C-alpha cells in the first residue's frame, strides 16, 4: 500500500464541540476535490484527544448514519509514540474496513463442508442491554466470499424487549418501523453474496448464539422457517439445504488435562487443554448432535469451552467434518 508523503487533503483540526459541522465541511471539501477525478473518499482517520465522554460515539454516528463514511479513530497518546505494534494493529483494522482480508486459510478449497459447493455462513445474536421496556438489539452477519469465507457483512436492528428470536429475518420488523428492508435480512445477505461471488448459495450454515435450553427449539423453528421463506421469495424453486446450530458460551463445564506431568497434552504448560480440543461423548446428550469445542488460545485463567448443538441439519454433515469446520472458522 503506497502512501503520499504530502496529503492531497490538508489535515484539519477542530474543537470537539463543533464535531458535526467540521465533519460535514471536511467531507464536502474532500469530495469537491475528488469527484472531478472520478474518485471517492474511502476512509476518514480521526485522532481523538481522549476516550472520555460521548465524542467517539457521536463521531461514529455522524460518519456512518448521516455522511455514509468509514472512519478509523486513534488516540493522540498512542499516535504520538508511533510504535510498530500499534501501527500494525491500526493497519489491520483499516484493511478490514476498506474491504480487505487479514486472515485466509492456506487452502480454502479444502475447507470441510464449504469448499465443494457455494456455501454462506450466517451468525445471529440477540442482546438485551436494558431493563423494562428498552428494546433488544438483533444482529445478523453473513459471509460474502467463497470459498475463503473470511469476509462478513453485518445487519443490526432493534426489536421488542425480551424477544429472543430475530424478527426481520424475513419481512420487516414492525418494531423497527423506519428500517424498511424489502424482504428481510436473509434476502439482503443472499443478494449481496450473489453479487460479490456470482453464485447462489447452495448450502446455508447458520450459527445462532446465546439461546437458552428452554427456548432453543422455539427459536430454531421461527428462524429456519424465516430462512426458507426468504429463499422461496427470491425464487420459488430456490431451496438451499440448511444447517442450524445453537452455541452456548456461558456453561459451567471446564476441561483439564488428565495428567499434569504430560506437558505435551497441555498448552504451554498452563494446564489448559490444547486449542482444538473437542469432546462429543460421555458428557453430551446421548441422542442429539452436540459437542464441546475449545478453539481459542488462553494464556491466563481456565479455558471456557463453547457448546455447539446442531438442531437442524439438512446437509447431513458427518460429526468429525462439521467439528473441523467449526474449529477452522474460529481462525478466519
Amino acid at each position: 500500500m503506497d502512501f503520499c508523503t504530502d496529503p492531497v487533503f490538508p489535515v484539519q483540526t477542530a474543537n470537539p464541540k463543533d464535531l458535526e459541522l467540521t465533519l460535514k465541511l471536511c467531507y464536502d471539501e474532500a469530495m469537491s476535490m475528488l469527484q472531478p477525478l472520478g474518485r471517492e473518499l474511502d476512509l476518514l482517520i480521526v485522532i481523538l484527544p481522549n476516550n472520555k465522554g460521548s465524542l467517539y460515539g457521536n463521531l461514529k454516528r455522524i460518519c456512518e448514519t448521516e455522511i455514509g463514511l468509514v472512519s478509523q479513530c486513534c488516540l493522540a497518546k498512542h499516535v504520538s509514540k508511533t510504535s510498530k505494534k500499534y501501527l500494525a494493529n491500526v493497519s489491520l483494522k483499516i484493511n478490514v474496513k476498506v474491504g480487505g482480508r487479514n486472515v485466509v486459510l492456506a487452502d480454502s478449497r479444502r475447507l470441510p463442508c464449504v469448499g465443494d459447493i457455494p456455501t454462506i455462513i450466517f451468525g445471529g445474536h440477540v442482546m438485551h442491554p436494558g431493563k423494562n421496556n428498552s428494546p433488544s438489539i438483533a444482529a445478523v452477519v453473513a459471509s460474502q466470499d467463497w470459498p475463503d469465507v473470511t469476509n462478513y457483512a453485518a445487519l443490526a436492528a432493534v426489536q421488542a424487549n425480551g424477544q429472543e428470536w430475530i424478527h426481520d429475518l424475513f419481512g420487516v420488523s414492525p418494531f423497527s418501523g423506519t428500517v424498511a428492508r424489502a424482504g428481510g435480512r436473509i434476502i439482503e445477505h443472499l443478494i449481496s453474496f450473489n453479487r460479490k461471488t456470482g453464485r447462489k448459495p447452495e448450502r446455508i450454515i447458520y450459527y445462532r448464539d446465546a439461546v437458552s435450553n428452554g427456548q432453543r427449539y422455539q427459536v430454531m423453528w421461527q428462524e429456519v422457517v424465516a430462512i426458507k421463506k426468504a429463499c422461496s421469495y427470491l425464487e420459488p424453486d430456490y431451496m438451499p439445504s440448511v444447517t442450524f446450530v445453537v452455541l452456548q458460551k456461558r456453561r459451567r463445564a471446564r476441561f483439564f488435562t488428565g495428567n499434569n506431568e504430560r506437558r505435551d497434552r497441555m498448552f504451554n504448560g498452563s494446564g489448559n487443554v490444547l486449542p482444538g480440543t473437542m469432546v462429543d461423548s460421555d458428557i453430551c446428550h446421548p441422542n442429539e448432535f452436540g459437542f464441546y469445542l475449545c478453539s481459542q488460545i488462553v494464556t491466563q485463567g481456565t479455558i471456557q469451552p463453547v457448546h455447539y448443538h446442531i438442531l437442524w441439519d439438512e446437509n447431513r454433515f458427518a460429526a468429525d467434518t462439521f467439528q473441523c469446520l467449526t474449529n477452522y472458522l474460529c481462525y478466519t
Side-chain angles (χ1 to χ4, degrees):
M1 187 180 293
D2 297 323
F3 285 88
C4 284
T5 53
D6 299 319
V8 177
F9 183 73
V11 176
Q12 302 285 317
T13 60
N15 190 309
K17 295 180 181 179
D18 303 323
L19 177 66
E20 186 167 0
L21 177 62
T22 304
L23 285 173
K24 292 182 178 179
L25 288 175
C26 286
Y27 178 75
D28 292 339
E29 189 174 342
M31 290 301 291
S32 66
M33 296 173 61
L34 293 171
Q35 281 182 335
L37 303 174
R39 300 170 63 185
E40 294 185 359
L41 187 61
D42 296 319
L43 179 78
L44 179 70
I45 297 179
V46 185
I47 301 174
L48 302 176
N50 55 59
N51 56 358
K52 298 178 182 178
S54 59
L55 179 60
Y56 174 83
N58 289 336
L59 188 144
K60 289 293 183 181
R61 175 183 56 80
I62 296 166
C63 286
E64 297 183 11
T65 65
E66 296 183 20
I67 299 177
L69 180 62
V70 176
S71 61
Q72 175 62 51
C73 294
C74 310
L75 287 177
K77 65 178 182 180
H78 295 148
V79 173
S80 60
K81 297 177 182 178
T82 61
S83 68
K84 289 185 178 180
K85 184 177 180 180
Y86 176 73
L87 294 177
N89 185 31
V90 174
S91 298
L92 290 172
K93 293 179 180 179
I94 290 175
N95 184 43
V96 172
K97 290 180 180 180
V98 296
R101 296 177 294 178
N102 291 336
V103 180
V104 180
L105 286 176
D107 187 0
S108 56
R109 287 283 179 179
R110 295 179 59 188
L111 191 64
C113 314
V114 172
D116 53 345
I117 64 173
T119 303
I120 186 170
I121 309 287
F122 280 95
H125 181 71
V126 178
M127 187 172 68
H128 312 289
K131 298 180 179 179
N132 301 326
N133 295 322
S134 58
S136 297
I137 301 170
V140 179
V141 303
S143 59
Q144 301 295 294
D145 57 344
W146 178 82
D148 293 332
V149 198
T150 57
N151 200 326
Y152 288 78
L155 293 171
V158 295
Q159 61 185 39
N161 173 264
Q163 292 290 333
E164 191 55 56
W165 62 280
I166 301 174
H167 283 217
D168 56 348
L169 287 177
F170 176 73
V172 179
S173 169
F175 189 81
S176 55
T178 57
V179 187
R181 295 192 177 94
R185 290 190 241 185
I186 296 294
I187 289 178
E188 280 199 52
H189 280 309
L190 291 174
I191 292 174
S192 179
F193 181 94
N194 177 254
R195 187 183 301 122
K196 293 186 177 181
T197 64
R199 305 286 295 270
K200 291 188 298 183
E202 299 176 30
R203 179 182 287 153
I204 294 175
I205 301 176
Y206 188 101
Y207 288 90
R208 183 60 160 85
D209 190 18
V211 180
S212 66
N213 289 335
Q215 291 183 299
R216 62 188 183 190
Y217 281 102
Q218 178 187 4
V219 169
M220 184 267 291
W221 283 117
Q222 295 276 9
E223 297 186 3
V224 167
V225 168
I227 293 170
K228 295 288 187 181
K229 286 182 178 179
C231 293
S232 61
Y233 178 86
L234 287 173
E235 293 181 16
D237 297 330
Y238 179 47
M239 295 182 290
S241 52
V242 178
T243 295
F244 188 95
V245 188
V246 168
L247 55 137
Q248 298 169 318
K249 296 188 286 281
R250 296 181 181 179
R251 297 180 72 93
R252 296 181 180 179
R254 297 293 183 272
F255 299 148
F256 302 93
T257 54
N259 186 349
N260 286 333
E261 296 178 359
R262 288 289 301 275
R263 310 287 287 186
D264 59 322
R265 293 184 179 179
M266 65 181 75
F267 179 71
N268 285 350
S270 64
N272 281 314
V273 295
L274 294 170
T277 298
M278 190 276 306
V279 176
D280 63 355
S281 60
D282 297 331
I283 62 171
C284 298
H285 196 285
N287 302 320
E288 297 180 357
F289 186 2
F291 59 93
Y292 288 90
L293 177 63
C294 300
S295 56
Q296 71 272 36
I297 293 173
V298 174
T299 56
Q300 293 182 342
T302 304
I303 193 169
Q304 184 173 359
V306 178
H307 183 256
Y308 296 84
H309 209 114
I310 296 82
L311 301 180
W312 185 268
D313 185 23
E314 295 175 347
N315 292 294
R316 299 184 179 277
F317 290 131
D320 289 348
T321 306
F322 188 77
Q323 291 156 2
C324 186
L325 168 70
T326 302
N327 185 55
Y328 283 172
L329 288 176
C330 295
Y331 290 89
T332 57

